[in-house]
Amino acid sequence: MSTGHGILQKTQQALQNYVLTAALSYNPSVVCGVSRGKNPLVADEEESSPLPMVVCDCRRGTIDQDQSLSPWKVDVTVSLHESADDTTEDLHLAHAEELINALMDTTLAADLSTEDDYTCFLAVFQDLSYEIAGRRWVTTLNLQLDCAGFDFT
């Protein structure tokens, strides 16, 4: 099970597809990894991912090398970014609650496993944070997924 071919990318893609199909009252752009945002030096440049935006980021995966059948443990960050100029704090927190509730569903691991060549066995929720970064409200949920880069069924 230890084949790690693209496990981080597959995990990000599964999360992106999950969030895109979640029943949210708002319509965020959903991106994998880091979004560069708008370049302040270029007039009239469109933001690469307009706000509100959900970022699904997986940058680290570990595996127990002593166990050939061990799943990957992938550290995942899902964050909601909204403009502090266009969204009140209360509205941002309401949107964040919707997203977090969707992600904390007891069937998350099974729902992520609908992707081809990807199986998620377990989702462990680690922590939640909230901040204002520049002119953005940002709420972040960190979790760890036990998963494999192939269909285990």
Side-chain angles (χ1 to χ4, degrees):
M1 183 182 314
S2 65
T3 181
H5 295 102
I7 192 67
L8 300 178
Q9 183 179 13
K10 288 177 182 183
T11 301
Q12 286 182 162
Q13 189 63 54
L15 281 163
Q16 180 185 38
N17 291 340
Y18 181 83
V19 173
L20 284 169
T21 60
L24 302 174
S25 67
Y26 58 103
N27 189 26
S29 57
V30 183
V31 298
C32 292
V34 178
S35 173
R36 76 173 171 80
K38 184 176 179 179
N39 183 344
L41 301 177
V42 178
D44 301 328
E45 182 186 37
E46 293 288 325
E47 204 163 329
S48 62
S49 298
L51 301 177
M53 171 178 60
V54 174
V55 179
C56 304
D57 193 14
C58 306
R59 295 189 189 195
R60 183 173 180 267
T62 58
I63 191 167
D64 183 353
Q65 293 298 334
D66 296 333
Q67 301 292 325
S68 62
L69 295 178
S70 293
W72 283 91
K73 294 188 179 300
V74 176
D75 295 329
V76 174
T77 298
V78 179
S79 56
L80 171 63
H81 300 250
E82 292 187 289
S83 170
D85 296 323
D86 301 330
T87 307
T88 65
E89 182 178 20
D90 288 343
L91 184 57
H92 170 75
L93 292 173
H95 288 166
E97 183 176 6
E98 285 182 56
L99 177 63
I100 292 161
N101 287 342
L103 289 166
M104 294 188 77
D105 191 295
T106 58
T107 63
L108 176 64
D111 293 343
L112 292 174
S113 296
T114 61
E115 296 295 313
D116 291 338
D117 299 328
Y118 183 81
T119 304
C120 184
F121 304 102
L122 179 67
V124 178
F125 302 97
Q126 296 178 324
D127 60 68
L128 178 65
S129 64
Y130 160 70
E131 66 181 327
I132 188 160
R135 300 298 309 152
R136 289 184 181 191
W137 303 113
V138 181
T139 296
T140 302
L141 176 66
N142 292 303
L143 56 151
Q144 187 175 75
L145 301 178
D146 287 9
C147 52
F150 57 87
D151 186 356
F152 196 72
T153 58

